[in-house]
Amino acid sequence: MATKVIIPHTGEKETTGTIGIWFKHEGERVNPGEPLCTIETDKASLEIHAPCEGILRRIFSPRDSQVSVGECVAIIGDENEDIASLEEEILRK
């Protein structure tokens, strides 16, 4: 089942950040807890980790994109899984 990669609340007052480096590319396998990308805020640089195992199917927020807490930045799923409806849902927001 496809899983959204969501920007977590950091506990700080920050509500937005900028995507730094993506460690993985679309089509690459990821494991739970593996770093996917960095988020740069005014106060810190944070790593966003994979919430599950699978293939990084889609990245919605490329490097230097502004993102908000709660925003979906990527989808992880099975290699042949149909993620079209999930992509559409995310792109509508």
Side-chain angles (χ1 to χ4, degrees):
M1 181 174 183
T3 302
K4 297 176 184 177
V5 178
I6 305 292
I7 300 298
H9 190 287
T10 63
E12 299 291 328
K13 293 181 181 179
E14 303 288 336
T15 58
T16 61
T18 303
I19 297 287
I21 299 167
W22 277 97
F23 299 115
K24 295 289 187 174
H25 301 284
E26 287 183 2
E28 286 189 272
R29 177 156 292 286
V30 299
N31 294 304
E34 186 172 17
L36 293 177
C37 66
T38 60
I39 302 293
E40 309 292 332
T41 70
D42 289 339
K43 297 183 181 193
S45 177
L46 310 165
E47 286 186 349
I48 303 301
H49 298 99
C52 63
E53 178 180 359
I55 304 294
L56 183 57
R57 296 287 308 275
R58 175 84 188 262
I59 293 173
F60 293 102
S61 302
R63 185 180 185 134
D64 297 327
S65 296
Q66 291 289 314
V67 293
S68 301
V69 169
E71 186 175 335
C72 177
V73 294
I75 295 175
I76 296 172
D78 294 331
E79 188 172 355
N80 297 315
E81 185 173 2
D82 181 6
I83 61 169
S85 61
L86 187 55
E87 287 177 306
E88 185 179 315
E89 172 192 324
I90 293 163
L91 291 170
R92 268 190 268 131
K93 291 183 178 182

